Amino acid sequence: MAIFLPLSAMVFFSFMTELPLSGKPWAFTLGNYAAFFSQSLYLTLLLASLRLGLEVTLWCVVIGYPAAYVLAKVLKGRSREAIFLLVILPFWSNGLVRIFSWAMVLREGGILDTALNAVLPFKINIDLMYSYPAVIIGLVHSYVPYMVLTCYLTLQAIDDSLIEAGRSLGASRLQVLKRVIIPLSMPGLVAGAALIFVPVVGSFMEPRILGGRTGTFYGTVIEDQFVAVFNWPLGAALSFILLAVVLVILAVASPVLRRAA
Amino acid sequence: MAGVQVSDVSRSFGAHKALDDVSIDFADGGFYALLGPSGSGKTTLLRQIAGFDFPDSGRITIGGESVERVPVEKRRIGMVFQNYALFPNMSVADNVAFGLSVRGEARAIIATEVQRALDLVQLGKLGGRRPHQLSGGQRQRVALARAIVTKPRVLLLDEPLGALDKALRVDMQIELKRIQREIGITTIFVTHDQEEALTMSDRIGILRDGRLVQEGPPEEIYNRPKSEFAATFLGDANLFRGDTTGDGIRLPDGTAIAAGAGAKLAAGAKASCAVRPERIRIATDAGAPDGTANMLKGQVSKRIFAGNNSTYFVERGGQTLKVIVQNTGVDRLAEGQEVVLRWSPESTVLIAAG
Ligand SMILES: Nc1ncnc2c1ncn2[C@@H]1O[C@H](COP(=O)(O)OP(=O)(O)O)[C@@H](O)[C@H]1O
Ligand SMILES: [Mg+2]
């Protein structure tokens, strides 16, 4: 109950015209929820955020699953521990430090630009800063450890003899991957996807810092309501709409994914 | 179907020689047991044949063709793992169908073949179950059905019955043997259970520390062990150590033991004689003297009753000898009793020392 208490307060606020803390008179209203539907901007931003969540999740699968596979099935002993630490390290580092370090890498005259120009014989201009790709890169970097960890745990639980059994029955490595390993690691993929998709859809730090003007998403609008506009009731209502949408998506997706496995 | 030839195969892990120059000819359609203590290299040898691991040197052929560059999935082998290795995400029928399905067989063919394989292992009705809903013995049968449904050239089994309890194991031994005869597949069966090796196989290879110690039909190895290790690992044996006299040995106390079988050794060398416990007759008196029989006097220290037979432990010159006699109900000997042991030279195998 205690866990839900602050959140319940937010539910309460989302139905108010004003914050009771401000001293102004307040009343109950559905207006905050209606606001979402009255302006197409909110829906547009929500769709953009969902797309962002989907893209980041996909990139995390593309990068995280093979990494988890290598960690669980290829590397042994010391080298496994070392690589594991490298994967976890960004996870432990402060979010702002992580994001600003990307800003240094991605901006014009930054680390990536300088390094590429030092290696390549022709001059290119790399300025990814304040762009959609920069937001994707920052978010994938922040969230890929979740995918690596959840997939690593399920992959590690798959007995090597299952892989060998598959091969002895005439299956190529690829067929074993498709028919045995991926189905058996589905729980890890689903858990990782859920852990990544949900917070990414509501993310605001990476879009704001790395995205600049292109970085306006549903999450940044919610953040604005809380820290800039001080319209907490609207911010709360927008968050709960997001929560509802995300829950519906998860409810629809999980049986489909389970059947696929 | 095909035979398998392993020639001069060695495989090391670091400084450890898991296989040391092993050569075995596995005959087409034969049932071959690889027997040895834990860590002797049995699994390693099986993995070289399967193609999961590759020898440092030596050659392996299946059906006369070298498999050096042939990956596992192209070797057309069937393998049964000790832990069964059934796919937990598939039904029993899908597990059995796997090999046919990755090959791209037609659905109708797969269905008939899977049913036939499941019927063969007497699990015809359980195709819809998941592996975790089966007992250990049933999983074992599914693993076997899955391995043979693709009609492999060779069936490799790594201690397949090791995880089953005794009664189930004996059932499965009979079953496995029946199935193997029915389809006539070349079978290589790894076990550390000597009884299993003796009762099931046409030939046995005994491994120790990565080396092939002895190889041959079960009766030959049992009756003519070539080393103390083979004598004691396959069955029970009483060993006497002394100096060779050419056709036997002389014990340190001067007693002569005549051997009618085994190695031909030059007189004077160190050697052993092995005698199986059931070949020794035990009596309270020497009876009529018999010029050819080996004879020793001793004292019964213990008797273990085992239903149809009894094992007597007889102390003699600081050595404990084992004698097994059928329980006929008349000749029971008490502990502490002085006895005379007699056995023929034909039951005595001369073994070079070392
Ligand atoms: N992949 C491996 N890496 C290192 N040592 C191994 C490996 N596989 C087997 N060995 C060693 O080789 C020896 C033989 O092992 P194994 O063939 O599994 O024996 P068995 O099956 O007869 O019990 C053992 O000492 C084992 O530790
Ligand atoms: Mg083994």
Side-chain angles (χ1 to χ4, degrees), chain A residues 101-247:
Chain A
S101 61
W102 273 113
M104 288 198 304
V105 172
L106 298 175
R107 70 160 204 269
E108 189 175 12
I111 296 171
L112 184 63
D113 193 23
T114 316
L116 277 180
N117 279 309
V119 179
L120 296 174
F122 49 89
K123 171 89 182 132
I124 52 164
N125 245 343
I126 299 280
D127 184 12
L128 284 174
M129 205 48 199
Y130 307 127
S131 69
Y132 187 67
V135 178
I136 297 273
I137 290 172
L139 283 168
V140 168
H141 182 234
S142 295
Y143 286 97
V144 80
Y146 287 104
M147 188 59 79
V148 176
L149 286 177
T150 56
C151 289
Y152 173 80
L153 289 177
T154 48
L155 281 167
Q156 205 211 20
I158 299 173
D159 199 314
D160 286 349
S161 67
L162 292 182
I163 299 170
E164 293 184 343
R167 302 280 314 278
S168 76
L169 290 164
S172 64
R173 283 169 200 279
L174 206 65
Q175 282 174 313
V176 171
L177 184 73
K178 222 176 77 188
R179 290 175 176 241
V180 180
I181 301 174
I182 291 180
L184 285 175
S185 42
M186 219 23 130
L189 280 164
V190 171
L195 284 175
I196 292 167
F197 179 74
V198 177
V200 166
V201 171
S203 67
F204 54 88
M205 231 166 30
E206 289 86 352
R208 198 177 287 288
I209 300 168
L210 298 173
R213 266 185 303 109
T214 63
T216 308
F217 286 94
Y218 197 74
T220 57
V221 170
I222 294 176
E223 190 212 4
D224 281 339
Q225 304 312 312
F226 283 97
V227 304
V229 190
F230 292 110
N231 191 350
W232 284 31
L234 180 60
L238 291 177
S239 314
F240 287 116
I241 289 168
L242 175 62
L243 183 62
V245 168
V246 160
L247 285 179

Side-chain angles (χ1 to χ4, degrees), chain B residues 285-301:
Chain B
D285 58 67
D290 176 349
T292 59
N294 288 307
M295 190 183 88
L296 291 173
K297 289 199 169 91
Q299 187 180 28
V300 175
S301 64

Side-chain angles (χ1 to χ4, degrees), chain B residues 303-311 324-325 327:
Chain B
R303 169 180 183 252
I304 293 175
F305 174 75
N308 62 352
N309 67 56
S310 289
T311 302
I324 295 177
V325 293
N327 285 327

Side-chain angles (χ1 to χ4, degrees), chain A residues 159 161-162 164-172 175 179-180 183-184, chain B residues 47 52 72-73 77 81 83 85-90 99 101-102 146:
Chain A
D159 199 314
S161 67
L162 292 182
E164 293 184 343
R167 302 280 314 278
S168 76
L169 290 164
S172 64
Q175 282 174 313
R179 290 175 176 241
V180 180
L184 285 175
Chain B
R47 292 173 64 80
F52 296 131
V72 183
E73 64 267 28
I77 49 137
F81 295 79
N83 65 355
L86 299 179
F87 305 125
N89 56 317
M90 298 177 199
S101 146
V102 293
R146 184 178 69 174

